[in-house]
Amino acid sequence: MERRIIVSGGDQIRELIMPEAVQRRCVRLEGALALAARDESLFCACGDVIWRLEASRLVPAGLFAGGPGVCQLALSPCGKRLYALLEDADSLLMLDALSGAPLVVNRVGVCPRAMAMDEEGEIVAVAGGECAQTVLLCAKTLDVLSQLPMPGMVYAVALSGGTVYSLSLNDTLNTTLTTVSPGGVCRSLALSGMPGALCLSGGLLLAATHGYLYTIAPDGSRVLCRRSAAGRARRLFACGGQLLVCDMLGEAVFALDEGQGNWRMIGESAVDAAIL
């Protein structure tokens, strides 16, 4: 089954058709960085502004004010709210996805690195970066619900069924996966390599570190599989049965060939990617 992915970087946004990664379109967009997509909605952060684009043609359709250091964008499940994580302002900004009007902003740590939303669009989790916390917020108001202490700088978060997963840098310059269940039970699991990204796929948790990709039991208690990974993931996601990694070191997108267990580069000069 064909799937469309959008790749940003190198002052361009490109449309690739998976699983063969055939490039269909390429449009120049200076400073193209973070992406967010849902259905036919597509947004791209460029410096301090955010472009809304027609997903079918990659044509700009609106320009929103963003903020300093937009490191990640996300859309609510309903597609009405757009979230911009501002690394340089230590903040999370929520905008109206249609008009671009800013709705609310709140502080979320020190140099926050990543965010994730639960399946219902009720909670946003933010990797608080240097404050060594994972911050949980109400997705509709950005009120802080909880600040979960972590063993070091937090790089990645994921949410599933009320369980919060976080990747943080530990004292050995490797990774600690912290899992907090809805009942408040906290588990820690040591992983090799510096923290990268998290992804939920097929009922399992996938954790990418520098050089490794781990498959982990949903309760965070044990590693089920470890394999080599391409670089150090900025983003990790599944697309039509394939795993894709945006490598923050080489600025490229790689796809995992499950049959041979090899990674193949499908896009150069890539900062972020999103599935349409």
Side-chain angles (χ1 to χ4, degrees):
M1 179 181 177
E2 288 190 350
R3 294 294 301 273
R4 301 164 61 201
I5 68 167
I6 306 299
V7 176
S8 63
D11 294 329
Q12 297 175 336
I13 52 173
R14 288 156 282 163
E15 179 186 6
L16 304 180
I17 306 302
M18 300 302 293
E20 300 302 325
V22 176
Q23 182 171 299
R24 177 181 288 175
R25 291 182 180 84
C26 180
V27 176
R28 179 170 176 80
L29 194 63
E30 187 173 355
L33 295 173
L35 292 168
R38 185 177 295 276
D39 299 325
E40 289 302 308
S41 299
L42 176 64
F43 298 85
C44 182
C46 302
D48 293 349
V49 300
I50 301 170
W51 286 97
R52 179 167 58 86
L53 301 109
E54 292 183 9
S56 59
R57 296 184 297 156
L58 304 188
V59 176
L63 182 62
F64 304 163
V70 179
C71 63
Q72 188 177 346
L73 295 175
L75 276 165
S76 62
C78 65
K80 295 180 179 179
R81 303 187 302 273
L82 176 67
Y83 300 85
L85 190 60
L86 311 179
E87 183 176 6
D88 294 345
D90 304 333
S91 301
L92 179 61
L93 170 66
M94 180 170 67
L95 305 102
D96 182 288
L98 182 61
S99 68
L103 301 176
V104 65
V105 65
N106 202 354
R107 184 178 176 87
V108 285
V110 179
C111 295
R113 299 305 180 98
M115 62 177 161
M117 189 173 297
D118 68 346
E119 299 90 335
E120 293 77 24
E122 298 293 331
I123 298 175
V124 179
V126 175
E130 297 174 13
C131 74
Q133 292 179 337
T134 293
V135 184
L136 303 182
L137 305 99
C138 171
K140 295 180 180 179
T141 64
L142 295 193
D143 291 337
V144 174
L145 304 175
S146 181
Q147 294 171 300
L148 306 176
M150 296 294 150
M153 186 183 299
V154 190
Y155 282 82
V157 290
L159 287 172
S160 178
T163 299
V164 183
Y165 305 96
S166 304
L167 289 185
S168 48
L169 183 68
N170 60 35
D171 292 340
T172 67
L173 300 184
N174 287 290
T175 296
T176 297
L177 168 68
T178 302
T179 303
V180 182
S181 70
V185 176
C186 182
R187 291 187 176 92
S188 295
L189 188 65
L191 306 175
S192 297
M194 296 183 71
L198 289 169
C199 171
L200 290 152
S201 178
L204 297 173
L205 178 68
L206 303 177
T209 67
H210 188 185
Y212 299 101
L213 176 65
Y214 293 88
T215 303
I216 297 169
D219 63 359
S221 61
R222 65 193 188 281
V223 172
L224 303 177
C225 176
R226 188 182 85 165
R227 65 187 85 180
S228 62
R232 184 179 173 194
R234 183 195 310 273
R235 300 281 182 265
L236 172 68
F237 52 95
C239 177
Q242 280 190 311
L243 286 178
L244 303 180
V245 163
C246 291
D247 175 22
M248 70 174 73
L249 301 179
E251 293 197 346
V253 179
F254 293 87
L256 177 63
D257 184 337
E258 287 284 4
Q260 300 180 3
N262 298 324
W263 294 90
R264 61 185 175 99
M265 186 173 66
I266 62 172
E268 298 180 290
S269 301
V271 176
D272 202 0
I275 302 172
L276 276 171

